């Protein structure tokens, strides 16, 4: 047996033992939660008439995922639809693991009659998120649900434990079958205006019970297709405490704009007279206002809801911008780790690259399309992440979308932007159109450092918030305006950058950001899952 007698060898052995012990400790600290979901079509009646919905274990909306920071979520999804299906996890960062992201650029669809087991870890995350079906136009039929990620017991939270914790999934809704809506888009037309707004799958009647004097947490997610929604509660103020995983300065609001794809947590106190109160959700920035209601029911209520439904803002953009700028990070609060969120001084880091993304709408070959920097995304038969892993050429080209608008007429391409691991980038979303927009980046949260009307210029940086901007994964861009974000590219993978307006996403307003590390180490990225479904040009190959 060879003896180890050199100091360097002893140090290496000692470090290896420490790493093994650390791994064992972490593994013991990170529990597993198992879910078994069956996806089916079923009859639902959200607007009082029968329509086809997508159910998860017979539920619409789907079951809630309850988890704690660093939990491993093992979700076995059985696809009993007659078409391919995928679920994606809005705001869950999939650290080093874009294979599990559940969008077509990363994951092969689950074929009809088959199953796929997602293995997710909510690594270093807290907060309120949601999942949704990402293929075709399934999102218009349901299949979505809430995700709660609680702080670990030893991590301080900047408010007392609430008496209850409720998820509210709000969104615009069509009575039209989702396949017909998809056909409208496939034939090159725009979608009509939706028929209603739902709260947890219903336009009215959903009830939340509160005990007088107690405080409750409401997690509000806009899971709809295109409309910003305003949320308010009759006779009650709301204290904002968390936005997509970031504890915020606890500002009080009488109503809150929730843009498509966004999630907010608020605290409300049942400190009014013992009766029932309206919870109200209505569309913003629309000529026709759609409104739905739920009920905040006091357990000792002496009176049912009464009086007019409280009105909210309608088209006031300045009001919404002012509110958006008031949402800031609580620098004294711990995040998922026991250190203040403000300890990462993003405003002192040098920007290595500025990316300007301009949205547009136009006709291509006589059909309606939407684009980013003139490129309308065209899907291919092989998920881009898998083509990258197996080194399959001619599927996509890195750099096929420029860092700034080219001025070219709109055209179709499989757009992929390359980026270096550990770069620190500035991204400007420029909106020249007359509608509000909403943008999401998978795999990341980012600091929303500025937003204003007009066209962004380098001088716009003078008004950036470089101290306590809110960190989130979805941001709005107001009409004829810009929004700027800072983002640390610390998560290797292939990540979807998309419009959360689902018709725009479906018709091309998205691309993929390939964050690349040449090292090829599992420290930077996990290997391909053993159970990965292989399709297209990688069909028939083996994983590991």
């Amino acid at each position: 047996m060879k003896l180890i007698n050199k100091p360097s060898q002893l140090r290496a052995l000692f470090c290896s033992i420490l790493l093994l012990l650390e791994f064992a400790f972490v593994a013991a600290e990170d529990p597993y939660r198992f879910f078994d979901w069956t996806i089916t079509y079923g009859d639902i009646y959200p607007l009082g008439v029968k329509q086809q919905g997508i159910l998860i274990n017979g539920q619409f909306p789907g079951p809630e995922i309850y988890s704690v920071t660093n939990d491993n979520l093992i979700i076995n999804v059985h696809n009993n639809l007659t078409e391919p299906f995928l679920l994606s996890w809005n705001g869950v960062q999939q650290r080093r693991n874009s294979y599990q992201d559940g969008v077509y650029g990363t994951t092969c669809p689950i074929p009809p009659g088959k199953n796929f087991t997602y293995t997710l870890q909510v690594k270093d995350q807290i907060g309120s998120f949601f999942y949704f079906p990402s293929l075709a136009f399934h999102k218009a039929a349901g299949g979505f649900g809430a995700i709660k990620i609680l702080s670990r017991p030893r991590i301080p939270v900047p408010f007392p434990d609430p008496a209850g914790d409720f998820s509210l999934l709000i969104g615009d809704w069509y009575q039209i079958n989702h396949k017909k809506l998809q056909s409208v888009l496939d034939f090159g037309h725009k979608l009509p205006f939706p028929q209603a707004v739902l709260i947890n799958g219903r336009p009215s009647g959903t009830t939340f019970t509160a005990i007088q004097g107690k405080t409750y947490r409401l997690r509000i997610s806009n899971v709809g297709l295109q409309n910003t929604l305003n949320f308010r509660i009759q006779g009650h103020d709301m204290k904002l405490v968390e936005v997509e995983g970031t504890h915020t300065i606890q500002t009080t609001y009488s109503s809150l704009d929730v843009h498509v794809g966004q999630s907010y947590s608020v605290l409300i106190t049942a400190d009014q007279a013992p009766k029932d109160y309206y919870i109200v959700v209505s569309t913003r920035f629309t000529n026709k206002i759609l409104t739905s209601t739920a009920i905040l029911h006091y357990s000792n209520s002496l009176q049912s809801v009464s009086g007019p439904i409280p009105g909210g803002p309608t088209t006031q953009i300045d009001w919404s911008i002012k509110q958006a700028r008031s949402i800031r990070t609580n620098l004294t609060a711990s995040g998922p780790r026991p250190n203040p969120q403000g300890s990462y001084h993003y405003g002192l880091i040098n920007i290595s690259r500025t990316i300007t993304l301009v949205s547009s709408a136009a006709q291509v070959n006589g059909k309606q399309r939407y684009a980013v920097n003139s490129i309308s995304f065209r899907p291919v038969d092989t998920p881009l992440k898998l083509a990258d892993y197996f080194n399959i050429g001619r599927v996509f080209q890195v750099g096929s979308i420029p860092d700034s608008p080219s001025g070219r007429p709109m055209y179709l391409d499989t757009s992929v932007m390359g980026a270096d691991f550990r770069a620190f980038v500035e991204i400007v979303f420029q909106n020249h159109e007359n509608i509000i927009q909403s943008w999401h980046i998978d795999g990341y949260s980012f600091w929303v450092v500025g937003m204003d009307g007009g066209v962004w210029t380098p001088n716009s940086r003078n008004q950036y918030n470089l101290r306590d901007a809110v960190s989130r994964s979805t941001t709005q861009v107001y009409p004829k305006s810009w929004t700027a974000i800072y983002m640390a590219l610390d998560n290797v993978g292939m990540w979807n950058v998309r419009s959360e307006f689902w018709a725009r996403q479906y018709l091309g307003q998205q691309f993929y950001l390939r964050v690349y590390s040449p090292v090829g180490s599992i420290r930077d990225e996990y290997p391909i899952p053993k159970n990965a479904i292989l399709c297209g040009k990688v069909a028939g190959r083996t994983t590991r």
Side-chain angles (χ1 to χ4, degrees), residues 37-41 54-56 77-81 85 87:
W37 288 355
T38 299
I39 312 299
T40 59
Y41 282 126
I54 292 178
L55 312 180
I56 302 180
V77 177
H78 305 264
N79 178 18
N80 284 2
L81 305 183
F85 184 80
L87 285 173

Side-chain angles (χ1 to χ4, degrees), residues 89-93 125 129-130 244 440 442 444 473 498:
W89 322 90
N90 210 72
V92 176
Q93 293 177 14
Q125 285 194 265
F129 310 97
F130 65 91
E244 294 160 27
H440 177 86
D442 280 351
Y444 286 93
S473 58
R498 63 175 178 266

